[in-house]
Amino acid sequence: MAIRPIITEKSKAAEMVDMSRQRDSSENSEATSSSVTPSEKPWDMLHILSRFPAVNQASLRFTESASSFGRGLASLIDDGGGAASGLGSQNQSSQGKFDVASSVSSSNGHQMGESASSTTNNLDLFTRQNIMLDKATSLLNSTSATFTEFGQRLLGTPPLLWQGMVDRLQTTWKGSIDDIGWLQRLPGSMGVQDRTQRFEQILELVCHGVHPLPDNLIYLLVPGLFSNHSPLYFVDTKVYFSKLGLTCHIAKIHSEAAVETNASVLKEYIEELHWGSGKQVAILGHSKGGVDAAAAVAMNWPSLKDKVAGLVLVQSPYGGSPIASDILREGQIADVQTRYLLELLIQKMVKGDLKALEDLTYKKRQNFLARYSLPRELPVVSFHTEISIAPKVFSTMSHIAHAELPWHLFNIETASNVVKNSMKVPVVVPLPALMAMCAKHIELRYKHKSDGLVARQDAEAPGSVVVRPDRKLDHGWMVYSVSNKTLGEPDASQVCEALLALLLETCKRTKAD
């Protein structure tokens, strides 16, 4: 007996695929030519793919086919079990009929009946096997056709989409590896002069009570990012300078404002200080405050030339920050989502400007310094450090601000000021731990040392006198050093005094030359 061949015709799903290919070919070609516009970002792949009808339909059939495959496979297993059960019951029934017949028939008749029953059973088995194979073949054909169509539709999308996805992955993987230290590699960039040893000598004198700063200058301290939310920022240093009989001011700026915005405010502030006293202003800026101060001088040098004695940059990302760049770099994975969260944090909660952080990225610093660079005749001192990543650092809590409890809720409206002041509580955060983790990220990813936010190379302004101490200090040390002062070690106020003294020595050397 000839066994019926396995069915190889296309299933209904495969026929639907062929029909859809013809129907969608014109739609897909039109969508390919008109859906992607130059203004769209190539890495918004899901958004753009949703505008291709053919891909949408293919993906829908892909999902439906995957579900049908699972259901069909389960059905085949059930059919296989039922077939085996049916065959067994049929054999038992045939065997029962054979036993009854054998009691009334001859032995020859018995052999003929047995042969006929066996032939029938074999035919049923072959038939059922062929049916199951037909179903399996049809199921695989339809599923494979749908999977193949989806892949062809997806691969047939514009190459711009795939290239954009690859570029996005490469941008994320590359990060800031080519940006750190870019100022030092810039052709024609001025060299720096290392005077760390002289700084250590001055600092030693300051710690022993010798104070070299003159009182014929005004000393302006410019705090960094988020200083508006840390009332202790530079307060101890100002008090320290006042006790020495020096005129010292803390610049009243919005620390979360853009660099150029703060530069305009600082220009007016410097001019007011000079007009009111007739003295020159020596500026010391920490972190973004140094960037703001440098921008104010560079953008307004003709009008500030006779009013500014010099500039000290303390841990300032003059060339940019790898942390700021890694967070806000355009074209990397999840860049849109990250920017949205930062806008929510800075603009809605802190009431600042996202440009305050964006201006510290390498791209923004490169564009700004291409337009405004520090004048060569301005004395500049660059101070940068390296953080410690010892295990004890991760368990250190730092006092960075204080909060005043709502004492009126405790029914003590008539309490004295002493009682009310006692209601102030310190704000402590694991700031050293955060800085240490950021520094570890920079070291592992880029093989560069940093203070937790600024790589050491990026803190050196071209043509400046640089101070590179061996002492391990993180980026937030300037804020909390007094509260966590180590016995026998200089604090932030003494370091600021020594840096400004070194700046004045540089001024004298510049004038002598």
Side-chain angles (χ1 to χ4, degrees), residues 185-214:
R185 301 189 299 268
L186 197 66
S189 179
M190 298 176 60
V192 298
Q193 181 183 3
D194 188 352
R195 300 201 66 195
T196 305
Q197 185 176 1
R198 178 53 185 162
F199 164 79
E200 297 291 351
Q201 294 173 354
I202 298 175
L203 184 59
E204 184 71 17
L205 293 174
V206 170
C207 292
H208 285 82
V210 179
H211 304 291
L213 289 182

Side-chain angles (χ1 to χ4, degrees), residues 13 31 41 50 55 60 71 79 82 171 174 241 260 290 304 316 321 328 361 375 399 426 476 478:
K41 296 180 179 179
S50 65
V55 175
L60 180 61
R71 292 192 300 268
D79 289 347
T171 300
K174 186 178 180 181
F241 276 42
E260 294 190 19
L304 297 179
S316 296
S321 169
L328 290 175
T361 62
H399 179 198
M478 190 65 67

Side-chain angles (χ1 to χ4, degrees), residues 318-331:
Y318 186 77
S321 169
I323 298 298
S325 298
D326 288 352
I327 293 175
L328 290 175
R329 182 174 291 106
E330 294 182 355

